[in-house]
Amino acid sequence: MYTLVSGFYKYMLRKDEFCVLILGLDNAGKTTYLESAKTKFTKNYKGMNPSKITTTVGLNIGQIDINTVRLNFWDLGGQLELQSLWDKVSFIITFTYFADKMISNENLIGVPLLVLANKQDIRDCMGVREVKPIFNKNSAHLIGRRDCMVMPVSALTGEGIDEGIRWLVECIKRNCDVRPPRNLEDT
């Protein structure tokens, strides 16, 4: 009887797991974005002080649970050694200039793309109105049928973090047949 109740309990609380790749140039704010997202969506998570965040060596991994979805974030650069991980990715967050390389990679065909115009808290930064035409000129022909969004954020202040994460979750709902989840109990 315990096994039956335990199995039912696990089934009811299971989460579908999706991998989200965060890419961008050095000092684009990838780790700060991940820390800000974890702080906003993970109960009792205090987060790192932004002044203590340094250059990422290798990769950072973070996890956020939203309802029945678990997002596993991989914060890494575009180093050739790490590109072998790309075929396991369900969704991509990129900080502007990496978009072309990402969407032209055959392992990522159809994978939704969230392009973040970060550092909106800085007075003279490029806004979405400046970023979007550049992105469209260089990458629109590669988008195909994937979901794609260009969004303003400030990883430092947290502005735009909620909207981006919620957009990802909505994409998960629309794209489960293309990139199915891994059930946590199957791993």
Side-chain angles (χ1 to χ4, degrees), residues 30-40 45 47-48 53:
K30 300 177 300 294
T31 303
T32 306
Y33 178 86
L34 179 57
E35 283 298 311
S36 186
K38 289 188 319 189
T39 301
K40 284 186 175 283
Y45 182 75
M48 287 174 37
I53 295 174

Side-chain angles (χ1 to χ4, degrees), residues 58-123:
L59 74 143
N60 292 317
I61 297 174
Q63 196 174 76
I64 295 174
D65 290 341
I66 301 175
N67 300 325
T68 61
V69 173
R70 173 166 289 165
L71 300 175
N72 289 314
F73 291 89
W74 297 348
D75 159 19
L76 58 120
Q79 299 95 329
L80 287 173
E81 313 83 59
L82 299 174
Q83 289 180 11
S84 63
L85 300 172
W86 288 5
D87 67 334
K88 294 161 184 56
V89 172
S90 301
F91 300 91
I92 307 166
I93 298 175
T94 186
F95 289 77
T96 58
Y97 299 107
F98 260 85
D100 279 8
K101 189 171 188 175
M102 298 307 315
I103 59 180
S104 63
N105 184 290
E106 67 184 44
N107 291 322
L108 299 175
I109 291 173
V111 173
L113 175 67
L114 176 58
V115 179
L116 298 176
N118 190 26
K119 303 194 179 191
Q120 294 298 302
D121 53 302
I122 298 175
R123 191 154 74 80

Side-chain angles (χ1 to χ4, degrees), residues 154-168:
S154 170
L156 196 57
T157 67
E159 288 182 53
I161 303 291
D162 290 351
E163 294 85 352
I165 298 296
R166 295 199 189 285
W167 183 84
L168 285 176

